[in-house]
Amino acid sequence: QVQLVESGGGSVQSGESLNLSCTIHKYIYKSHCFGWFRQVGGNERAGVAAIDLSDRTEYADSVQGRFTISISQDNTKNTLRLQMNNLKPEDTAMYYCAAGPCFSVMGSIVQKTTPRLEDVYWGQGTQVTVSS
């Protein structure tokens, strides 16, 4: 069974950094994409960054130049990371890692839409809080 487990969230001051990790177990679809989304309260999840296994990346305009997405693989799992630098209070949100078809995961960032929740595998979320 596919399982995504996030870690690395926390509370920081404006201008500081955090590094989120997501361990992805038993994901067999090598043509798919992986990404990070964030959600504030009852709003829809918004795309932050996405990557495919050729290391093609896409970023939301609001994080371009501050956040870096990366992925590594071994025989049993993928590890997805999001290095977040120069954090701002508006980055405060619940962050979710995601895995799924590229038209959903990466396409949603390019088109500034939200993927259908049932089309994508999701982690449980990790809270990031940035205070001014």
Side-chain angles (χ1 to χ4, degrees):
Q1 182 177 352
V2 176
Q3 187 177 24
L4 286 70
V5 181
E6 297 124 338
S7 62
S11 297
V12 296
Q13 297 287 321
S14 181
E16 294 184 341
S17 299
L18 280 174
N19 193 339
L20 305 184
S21 291
C22 175
T23 303
I24 305 169
H25 298 275
K26 299 183 179 180
Y27 203 81
I28 64 172
Y29 303 105
K30 298 188 183 300
S31 62
H32 280 192
C33 287
F34 305 87
W36 291 94
F37 292 75
R38 63 189 181 187
Q39 187 172 22
V40 179
N43 295 334
E44 288 189 329
R45 292 182 189 185
V48 175
I51 189 169
D52 65 17
L53 292 181
S54 299
D55 286 337
R56 175 197 165 196
T57 59
E58 292 288 347
Y59 293 92
D61 293 342
S62 60
V63 307
Q64 182 77 45
R66 299 188 297 123
F67 291 10
T68 303
I69 189 171
S70 61
I71 190 165
S72 60
Q73 304 173 71
D74 63 26
N75 288 335
T76 62
K77 66 182 184 297
N78 297 317
T79 301
L80 183 69
R81 294 181 176 85
L82 185 68
Q83 176 65 41
M84 304 186 294
N85 296 330
N86 190 21
L87 282 161
K88 303 177 180 181
E90 52 264 41
D91 295 317
T92 295
M94 184 71 78
Y95 283 71
Y96 296 89
C97 65
C102 290
F103 71 84
S104 287
V105 176
M106 190 169 286
S108 65
I109 294 176
V110 174
Q111 298 166 23
K112 299 178 174 57
T113 58
T114 300
R116 295 195 315 169
L117 296 183
E118 61 268 31
D119 287 346
V120 175
Y121 291 98
W122 299 97
Q124 81 282 2
T126 186
Q127 178 67 37
V128 171
T129 302
V130 185
S131 56
S132 57

